[in-house]
Amino acid sequence: MIERLDGRHAIVTGAAQGIGRAIATRLAADGAHVVLADINEGLANSAAADIGHGAESIACDVADPDSVASLIERAARDGAPDILVNNAAIVPFIAWDDVDIDHWRRIIDVNLTSVFLTCRKATDMMREAGRKGRILNIASNTFFAGTPNMAAYVAAKGGVIGFTRALATEVGKYGINVNALSPGLTESDGVKASPHNEAFEFVEMLQAIPGKGQPEHIANVASFLVSDDASWITGQTINVDAGMVRW
């Protein structure tokens, strides 16, 4: 495996398990010093120990501004992080008739406002340090599919895609790349423990390539998008879903 990220310092949120852990594992294998951020401190500690390569963990509530500011400052190298991957999310399964304002606000806070908070802090530090950073926001192909029982989540992930485009425009002149990665249904720990696990057969019928998406499929593309190989790509959303969504 090419160590394309040697010397880079990366933050991955929601990295204790699933897609986030797979991304952290791949970035570490590619040479990055990775900080795994997660609200589940014990699980994040265990994941960092398993990954090795000097990986560390920091407990963080991505919906809390003070917690996010502390994370970015502690994980910075010479004044700023090199790489930020916004993966933390709540993936609900709730009928529209049961969506109330408390549910809506919680999903928006964790899935969308958190991306603003981390990017606000990270891009400020990157610019002050003269760092040509890489930001990758994990979206979802549910935005394109309008998946049922996920109204607030679909709205939040649509916001992530729109924010990615806008932020790329704002910070491109500083050499900061901002992209989004849009996974399809992925056989992660969270999905396997939820009603979404029953949807694989249906989703596979919509894919161009048969099979179940794995966290490593997402991690492979994430590593490319935060590397210098993708230096001429910004403001884009890359679907990684075996061709379920076709542009």
Side-chain angles (χ1 to χ4, degrees):
M1 193 171 293
I2 301 170
E3 293 189 346
R4 53 159 53 120
L5 302 177
D6 270 353
R8 310 292 174 85
H9 281 233
I11 303 167
V12 183
T13 69
Q17 59 183 336
I19 289 173
R21 175 170 172 156
I23 291 173
T25 300
R26 177 58 193 262
L27 299 191
D30 283 350
H33 175 86
V34 181
V35 172
L36 288 74
D38 204 283
I39 198 166
N40 189 327
E41 184 174 11
L43 203 57
N45 289 340
S46 177
D50 289 344
I51 290 171
H53 299 283
E56 302 177 62
S57 63
I58 295 177
C60 180
D61 177 354
V62 294
D64 178 74
D66 292 336
S67 185
V68 168
S70 176
L71 165 69
I72 306 297
E73 289 170 0
R74 291 173 61 189
R77 173 186 67 88
D78 297 332
D82 298 293
I83 296 165
L84 169 63
V85 180
N86 284 305
N87 169 76
I90 297 175
V91 186
F93 188 93
I94 180 171
W96 167 244
D97 288 344
D98 296 324
V99 174
D100 60 19
I101 190 62
D102 291 334
H103 169 80
W104 179 269
R105 285 173 173 160
R106 179 60 176 160
I107 297 303
I108 296 297
D109 281 350
V110 173
N111 293 278
L112 177 56
T113 304
S114 67
V115 177
F116 161 74
L117 292 174
T118 57
C119 288
R120 173 77 277 167
K121 183 66 174 179
T123 59
D124 287 350
M125 294 176 68
M126 288 172 179
R127 289 182 294 168
E128 186 174 349
R131 187 71 43 81
K132 295 182 177 181
R134 302 283 185 265
I135 296 173
L136 180 62
N137 300 321
I138 305 302
S140 170
N141 79 347
T142 60
F143 168 71
F144 303 98
T147 306
N149 300 309
M150 304 181 78
Y153 179 83
V154 172
K157 291 303 186 179
V160 168
I161 290 170
F163 176 69
T164 296
R165 293 174 180 175
L167 185 60
T169 305
E170 297 281 1
V171 300
K173 59 181 171 287
Y174 302 103
I176 301 170
N177 294 59
V178 188
N179 289 295
L181 189 161
S182 174
L185 185 64
T186 303
E187 198 174 31
S188 64
D189 301 320
V191 166
K192 288 188 287 188
S194 77
H196 299 294
N197 195 47
E198 305 302 317
F200 277 103
E201 185 174 350
F202 172 74
V203 168
E204 190 172 359
M205 290 190 297
L206 305 177
Q207 297 172 182
I209 301 170
K212 291 183 178 181
Q214 300 299 315
E216 290 72 23
H217 292 144
I218 312 305
N220 293 341
V221 180
S223 178
F224 164 70
L225 288 173
V226 300
S227 75
D228 288 343
D229 292 336
S231 63
W232 208 234
I233 300 173
T234 197
Q236 305 304 308
T237 299
I238 309 299
N239 283 296
V240 186
D241 62 0
M244 178 182 165
V245 173
R246 302 175 182 87
W247 288 84

